[in-house]
Amino acid sequence: MTSPVNLAAWKQLQAIYDDYGKSFSTKDAFAKDDSRFEKFSTTFENYDGSKILFDFSKNLIDEKILASLVELAKEAKVETLRDSLFAGDHINTTEDRAVYHVALRNRANKPMKVDNVNVAPEVDSVLQHMKEFSNQVRSGEWKGYTGKKIASIVNIGIGGSDLGPVMVTEALKPYADPSLSVHFVSNVDGTHIAETLKKCDPETTLFLIASKTFTTAETCANANSAKKWFLDSVKEPSHIAKHFVALSTNATEVAKFGIDTKNMFGFENWVGGRYSVWSAIGLSVALYIGYDNFEAFLKGAEAFDNHFTSTPIEKNIAFLGGLLTIWYNNFHKAQTKLVAPFDQYMHRFPAYLQQLSMESNGKSVTKDSKFVNYETGVVLFGEPCTNAQHSFFQLVHQGTKLIPSDFILAAQSHNPIEENLHQRMLASNFFAQAEALMQGKDEAKVRSEGAADSLVPHKQFSGNRPTTSILAQKITPATLGALIAYYEHVTFVEGAIWGINSFDQWGVELGKVLAKVILNELGDKTDVSTHDSSTRNLINTFKAWSA
């Protein structure tokens, strides 16, 4: 493959940056062009008629920059790779797999093939199993071993088997069954499972063990602790079948654990962990908000997939989002990205995006096995606003780093209390923060406000800090599905231009392999004599202090 830095459009972008891009003023651009908002914003209409407005106009771009970014995507053949993804080709080259999470939300049930096999019937079959099971649990038809209705759902997983479901159940809590509580256990720290079980009753708790292979070390440790807690109370192992189900493909290990394989919900190897919330991994979501809402969630993502596959790059929302990352990361040398939802229900959304972005594009080797000589990946972070405004926004406004930011708001609140005063206050901050980051405050303005000479520099804001404003009508299941699909495809576009494989994660393996070795050593009471001196002394001190 051709390195992106050798493409004509990349060189053109570098020339633009050197010429005027590095000093481009968004404030001046708005002053010169009354139609700037219309040129650099677009509205996505979901399958149910709801809308999401994406406003890119406060970014450091003009028509020439955007045209060059679009040309870069074309020269990098991103559209071709996108079409390969949706065709079920093995674009995960290092693992020789398809990347087909988009097939999981194919509610049109159109043929979608991997290795010449239409996977749509299989996907639909799993979804129908999820529908049947979730309806049984929610209605009370499925009962615990004493005949009581299930009241607590505990999802035990890690990584994609945890981050997706916990984020979605939190974001869609307004749609939840109030008679159900949902809990998520991921950390192998015993505190996580212990504190969760304190809130549960063995007679009314359903455990979802989420592990494709059913061998994930952290998940298996937590699952076995949950089983011991259950059996300590219940005594009879046959009751496990009414209180444990598996989100897995390993029938042998599932049966060995004691789970009836009829209560196993599978998914294929073309479903990556961080893209798996659309699959059986989303069972906790279906249980909590109901299958109809879960299907609306899938349809919202499907609608955005249709936009991504059918819209020219110039108006393609995900392409624009991904291309802005390239512009800031590779030319402006911005190494971070902020995603700040102005929505308390979406408080786990940035954490979910951290895995999506950094596990996907935290790579330094191209698909043709060459080390890159350009920046890849961004450090994504965020917290819900307005909390974040009282923590790290100081750095965003007046620090020395350029931090491109995405702000997300719903026009309609699920909790319009005090005659919607809270939502108006929230919205005022959403609009004001983006405007302030762009406008800044110069010396003349500070002096006109009567600041003492010694404080003038401290009260100046450089402005010209880029933001993308994402305004939804309401955070519904369909809206959330579309927003997640947007960020999935943004991540895809970034990786495609960088020429890396966004769909493996070898970087998580080394530490896990070493941990297995050290775990055995920690079971021995004698001091270790291996490892480097730091690790060796840390291990031996731990052994002494934990004895």
Side-chain angles (χ1 to χ4, degrees):
M1 59 166 280
T2 302
S3 170
V5 300
N6 294 325
L7 297 174
W10 187 287
K11 294 176 180 178
Q12 172 68 12
L13 284 162
Q14 187 63 58
I16 291 172
Y17 176 81
D18 292 339
D19 179 28
Y20 73 91
K22 59 186 172 185
S23 58
F24 181 86
S25 168
T26 313
K27 182 179 176 180
D28 291 347
F30 271 103
K32 295 174 184 175
D33 186 357
D34 287 338
S35 63
R36 181 173 173 83
F37 170 78
E38 287 74 18
K39 288 178 181 176
F40 298 109
S41 67
T42 186
T43 300
F44 167 74
E45 183 169 340
N46 215 323
Y47 82 96
D48 60 356
S50 62
K51 295 179 174 65
I52 308 173
L53 170 62
F54 291 80
D55 177 15
F56 298 106
S57 63
K58 290 188 177 77
N59 283 283
L60 308 179
I61 55 171
D62 60 12
E63 290 171 288
K64 183 177 180 181
I65 293 168
L66 181 58
S68 296
L69 286 168
V70 169
E71 186 58 32
L72 176 64
K74 291 178 178 178
E75 288 185 13
K77 296 182 171 53
V78 181
E79 292 164 299
T80 300
L81 188 63
R82 173 201 62 191
D83 295 344
S84 293
L85 182 152
F86 279 84
D89 296 342
H90 288 213
I91 67 168
N92 179 347
T93 51
T94 59
E95 297 177 306
D96 193 23
R97 292 178 184 171
V99 177
Y100 225 28
H101 49 277
V102 293
L104 299 169
R105 54 227 195 190
N106 171 29
R107 299 320 300 135
N109 278 322
K110 60 188 177 185
M112 298 186 75
K113 296 182 177 180
V114 175
D115 300 326
N116 295 316
V117 175
N118 180 16
V119 301
E122 175 197 352
V123 168
D124 191 62
S125 175
V126 173
L127 286 172
Q128 294 311 312
H129 188 194
M130 292 170 65
K131 179 179 181 179
E132 177 187 29
F133 182 73
S134 59
N135 286 343
Q136 287 177 334
V137 172
R138 287 167 62 85
S139 69
E141 180 184 347
W142 179 286
K143 295 177 172 61
Y145 75 99
T146 61
K148 292 182 179 179
K149 184 178 184 291
I150 296 298
S152 300
I153 310 292
V154 179
N155 186 93
I156 298 178
I158 198 167
S161 299
D162 171 78
L163 282 166
V166 73
M167 180 273 290
V168 175
T169 53
E170 285 295 304
L172 299 181
K173 189 174 284 187
Y175 299 88
D177 181 342
S179 71
L180 282 174
S181 62
V182 63
H183 310 279
F184 294 86
V185 175
S186 56
N187 200 332
V188 76
D189 182 344
T191 298
H192 206 178
I193 185 72
E195 288 294 332
T196 300
L197 294 176
K198 288 177 184 178
K199 306 168 189 173
C200 298
D201 180 342
E203 294 182 63
T204 58
T205 300
L206 177 68
F207 293 94
L208 314 180
I209 312 303
S211 172
K212 184 187 294 186
T213 62
F214 224 75
T215 58
T216 307
E218 299 93 337
T219 300
C220 288
N222 282 321
N224 282 313
S225 294
K227 183 168 76 169
K228 182 179 184 302
W229 170 84
F230 180 75
L231 291 176
D232 283 347
S233 173
V234 173
K235 310 302 181 188
E236 175 52 54
S238 64
H239 292 323
I240 288 174
K242 298 298 292 181
H243 291 267
F244 287 77
V245 302
L247 315 180
S248 179
T249 56
N250 190 338
T252 301
E253 289 299 319
V254 167
K256 190 185 298 182
F257 185 89
I259 295 174
D260 187 339
T261 53
K262 292 178 183 177
N263 302 326
M264 189 172 86
F265 299 80
F267 47 100
E268 294 301 317
N269 69 359
W270 39 259
V271 181
R274 56 192 173 279
Y275 301 94
S276 64
V277 70
W278 320 101
S279 72
I281 292 297
L283 182 60
S284 57
V285 179
L287 286 163
Y288 193 50
I289 67 173
Y291 181 80
D292 288 347
N293 284 320
F294 182 72
E295 184 159 62
F297 172 65
L298 300 179
K299 287 181 176 179
E302 178 186 34
F304 197 90
D305 290 342
N306 293 336
H307 167 85
F308 184 57
T309 55
S310 64
T311 308
I313 296 177
E314 293 82 355
K315 291 294 182 181
N316 194 304
I317 300 167
F319 266 91
L320 297 178
L323 289 168
L324 284 171
T325 301
I326 304 299
W327 179 232
Y328 294 130
N329 184 77
N330 295 98
F331 298 92
H332 286 271
K333 307 305 180 187
Q335 295 185 325
T336 62
K337 178 176 181 175
L338 165 63
V339 178
F342 285 68
D343 189 307
Q344 185 58 31
Y345 283 126
M346 294 183 71
H347 68 107
R348 294 296 290 163
F349 195 59
Y352 173 79
L353 295 183
Q354 283 179 332
Q355 184 195 33
L356 172 63
S357 176
M358 294 197 281
E359 192 168 83
S360 295
N361 289 340
K363 315 287 170 59
S364 57
V365 177
T366 61
K367 284 185 287 187
D368 55 354
S369 303
K370 293 184 172 66
F371 284 97
V372 300
N373 59 352
Y374 47 89
E375 292 287 331
T376 65
V378 293
V379 178
L380 191 149
F381 71 105
E383 283 289 326
C385 287
T386 55
N387 289 23
Q389 294 169 202
H390 295 267
S391 56
F392 53 75
F393 264 53
Q394 170 63 43
L395 178 66
V396 180
H397 277 282
Q398 287 187 306
T400 58
K401 294 172 172 57
L402 180 70
I403 303 176
S405 304
D406 288 0
F407 294 162
I408 304 170
L409 174 73
Q412 299 171 32
S413 172
H414 286 287
N415 298 290
I417 60 175
E418 301 292 335
E419 298 181 337
N420 217 30
L421 172 63
H422 287 261
Q423 190 67 5
R424 294 198 304 274
M425 290 178 68
L426 189 68
S428 68
N429 281 276
F430 171 82
F431 301 124
Q433 288 293 338
E435 186 175 43
L437 284 164
M438 180 190 73
Q439 296 278 6
K441 186 188 287 190
D442 61 20
E443 180 181 350
K445 177 66 173 173
V446 173
R447 290 190 182 279
S448 73
E449 294 174 346
D453 288 348
S454 61
L455 292 178
V456 169
H458 298 278
K459 292 194 171 187
Q460 289 181 48
F461 294 74
S462 66
N464 216 36
R465 312 259 170 149
T467 57
T468 295
S469 296
I470 302 173
L471 179 62
Q473 287 181 297
K474 193 172 187 176
I475 302 299
T476 64
T479 299
L480 184 65
L483 284 173
I484 296 171
Y486 163 72
Y487 280 103
E488 285 181 352
H489 296 321
V490 164
T491 302
F492 169 85
V493 170
E494 296 165 356
I497 290 174
W498 286 322
I500 57 178
N501 180 6
S502 299
F503 305 105
D504 60 13
Q505 53 278 331
W506 302 106
V508 305
E509 297 299 322
L510 179 58
K512 292 166 74 172
V513 170
L514 293 177
K516 288 180 181 179
V517 174
I518 294 173
L519 180 61
N520 290 329
E521 294 173 338
L522 293 177
D524 187 334
K525 294 181 179 179
T526 60
D527 283 356
V528 299
S529 57
T530 53
H531 306 285
D532 61 89
S533 62
S534 170
T535 305
R536 180 172 63 250
N537 282 286
L538 284 167
I539 290 172
N540 291 335
T541 302
F542 172 85
K543 283 188 172 190
W545 288 1
S546 65

